[in-house]
Each structure stands twice: as C-alpha cells, then as structure tokens.
Amino acid sequence: MKKILIPVLCLPLIAFTQTYQTDTLIRGVEIHFTYDLSIFPSNWVPAPTSATGQSISNDEIPHSKKIMATALGKYPAEILTKNLHTVYFLRAMSFFGVGYGGTNSTDALYFTNDGEDNGYTDYYLEQNFHHEFSSILYRNHPEYLDTAAWKAANIEGFDYNDPEAGVGAIRKNQSSQDLDSELAEKGFLTQYAYSSLENDVNTLAQNLFRPDPKFWEFVEKYPRIRTKLNLLIHFYSELDPIMIEPWFRKFDY
C-alpha cells in the first residue's frame, strides 16, 4: 500500500476569491474535481513553493463525494457556513517538490485521491479532511484554544522543533500517523504530531472525528493525551455547544 503523507502547507495566506463551475454542493460546501493551476492561491505558484497538481480520475469522483457527505455531516451547519467554502480533489499535488495528501488555504481544502488500491481508503480520506479543516478552524478561532495549557501537557523542556512544520517532517521521514505508545507518554499521539503545535492539534482532531481503533484507549491510558483532548473538545464546544465528548464518542472507527 502506498505511504500517504498528510502535511499542512504553512504559508502566508492571501485573500482568495475565484469562480469555478461547481461540480457538486454538499451541505453548502462547493466540491470541485477539475484541476487548473489557478485553484491555488497565487502566492503558492512561484518557486520555492512551486504548487502543481493533476486532475483526479473520473472513477474516484463518486468515492470522493461519499467521503465528503460523511465528513461534512459530522459538523453543525453554522461551522461549515462560517469557515469552509470549497473543497478540491486531485489525483496528486506537490509543494516544494514534495507530494502532499492534503492542505488548506483561507476557506478551502485540497485533497488527493488516487484510489483505494493506492491507500486512499475511506478511513484515510476522512481523517485527512478533519485534519485539514481543524487548521482552518484553529486559525479562525485561536482564542478558543489554550495553547499555554496545551504546551504544558508536553514533557518538560519540549519545544516543537520543526520550523518547516509538515514539510520538514516529511523530508526527514518523521511523518508517521500511526498511534505510538512511547510518544503518547510524552503527550503526542503520533510522530507527525511532534513536528508543530498545529500538527499536534490536527492529529488529535482527525481522531476525534474518525478515530483510530486504539484512540480512546490511548486517551484513557495517557494523562497528557487526555489533557490535550479536553482542551481540544473545549475548543470545539466554543464553536458549537453541542460538540462535547459524547458528541465525538458516537463516531465510528
């Protein structure tokens, strides 16, 4: 199975408004399956970012729509209306010469889907959505997350050590999203969560909405993970009071 990476593109964001033919509309979010370089914000196109992509196979469009219906259905409507306008699906995309599984801009998400045989399963694609959408929500509502308390949940003396966020982790082969008990003792679900605070938030978010089978076991076993989870659930409950722990506990693996 192809190894797929889920980096976050950490770039200066610019206002991005462009009109495209909408392929489908799900819960008020436009979903597009046609690639053109202009889908990316203009400051992503020149070097060194060098954004590029490939059109998704027509065979993968129904699968992508199915995943979006499931993923978007897990959020109150107002959260979607206020924070997410567009989702683009591609067969492949790259930035800085590195292949990406997903990324985000101001109110848009970008994902690759090259077929289940290549690792793009329901589980992977849906986790990827929640991972990237949590970046938009965190960027739009930083006041709802107590980052000081979040950092205090890490082992003493730790500082997020990757100035390139996701890109550096990939280049150094430190981007695993497998739950790791040794890292969980230190406060991190996965190797990728170790690379930046935002990636740490993303990794917990993707497991809140589409949990790894061992996720809730890790929450109960590792106090640092439980502390961070409580902070993240508080973040979501500030967005909508319905989003408390029982809300997330109902989501299947």
Side-chain angles (χ1 to χ4, degrees):
M1 181 177 290
K2 176 182 175 182
K3 180 180 179 183
I4 307 170
L5 308 173
I6 316 179
V8 175
L9 186 60
C10 294
L11 292 171
L13 298 175
I14 60 172
F16 181 47
T17 56
Q18 183 76 23
T19 302
Y20 300 94
Q21 179 179 350
T22 302
D23 293 297
T24 193
L25 193 69
I26 300 176
R27 299 203 68 207
V29 178
E30 294 184 6
I31 316 297
H32 298 273
F33 302 102
T34 303
Y35 171 69
D36 182 279
L37 189 59
S38 62
I39 69 172
F40 298 125
S42 60
N43 62 332
W44 293 9
V45 176
T49 309
S50 306
T52 188
Q54 299 175 23
S55 293
I56 191 172
S57 165
N58 287 336
D59 292 342
E60 296 306 322
I61 291 176
H63 185 207
S64 301
K65 289 180 179 180
K66 170 192 166 186
I67 293 302
M68 288 307 304
T70 299
L72 291 169
K74 294 182 177 181
Y75 295 86
E78 189 173 3
I79 290 178
L80 299 175
T81 300
K82 290 183 175 180
N83 296 280
L84 183 61
H85 183 264
T86 314
V87 174
Y88 300 94
F89 275 94
L90 306 173
R91 181 176 183 177
M93 61 182 167
S94 68
F95 309 95
F96 306 101
V98 176
Y100 272 56
T103 194
N104 61 85
S105 64
T106 49
D107 61 355
L109 299 173
Y110 304 81
F111 300 110
T112 57
N113 179 4
D114 193 24
E116 190 167 2
D117 289 345
N118 289 318
Y120 294 85
T121 61
D122 288 11
Y123 174 78
Y124 166 75
L125 289 170
E126 189 186 337
Q127 273 212 335
N128 202 0
F129 173 85
H130 302 302
H131 180 114
E132 298 298 339
F133 189 35
S134 70
S135 280
I136 292 180
L137 295 174
Y138 172 50
R139 190 164 57 240
N140 289 351
H141 307 281
E143 70 277 12
Y144 295 153
L145 185 67
D146 187 341
T147 55
W150 187 283
K151 293 176 182 178
N154 296 331
I155 54 171
E156 186 176 354
F158 175 83
D159 188 18
Y160 293 98
N161 57 14
D162 186 359
E164 296 181 87
V167 181
I170 295 165
R171 287 177 172 157
K172 292 180 286 189
N173 195 29
Q174 296 174 351
S175 57
S176 172
Q177 287 284 18
D178 295 334
L179 269 58
D180 186 311
S181 57
E182 183 176 342
L183 286 177
E185 291 275 7
K186 302 176 182 180
F188 307 94
L189 272 182
T190 71
Q191 189 181 56
Y192 189 61
Y194 211 65
S195 61
S196 76
L197 190 149
E198 184 175 341
N199 292 341
D200 198 4
V201 170
N202 297 152
T203 301
L204 269 169
Q206 72 191 43
N207 281 284
L208 261 181
F209 287 92
R210 183 67 188 260
D212 180 285
K214 296 183 294 183
F215 172 65
W216 288 106
E217 176 185 329
F218 269 51
V219 170
E220 301 306 326
K221 186 174 182 180
Y222 300 105
R224 296 180 191 275
I225 298 298
R226 164 51 81 178
T227 296
K228 288 182 177 180
L229 183 70
N230 289 344
L231 292 168
L232 188 60
I233 290 175
H234 173 77
F235 171 85
Y236 280 107
S237 70
E238 288 292 316
L239 297 175
D240 191 298
I242 198 173
M243 301 180 80
I244 56 177
E245 186 163 325
W247 170 270
F248 295 106
R249 287 273 190 176
K250 68 184 180 181
F251 296 143
D252 295 330
Y253 299 131

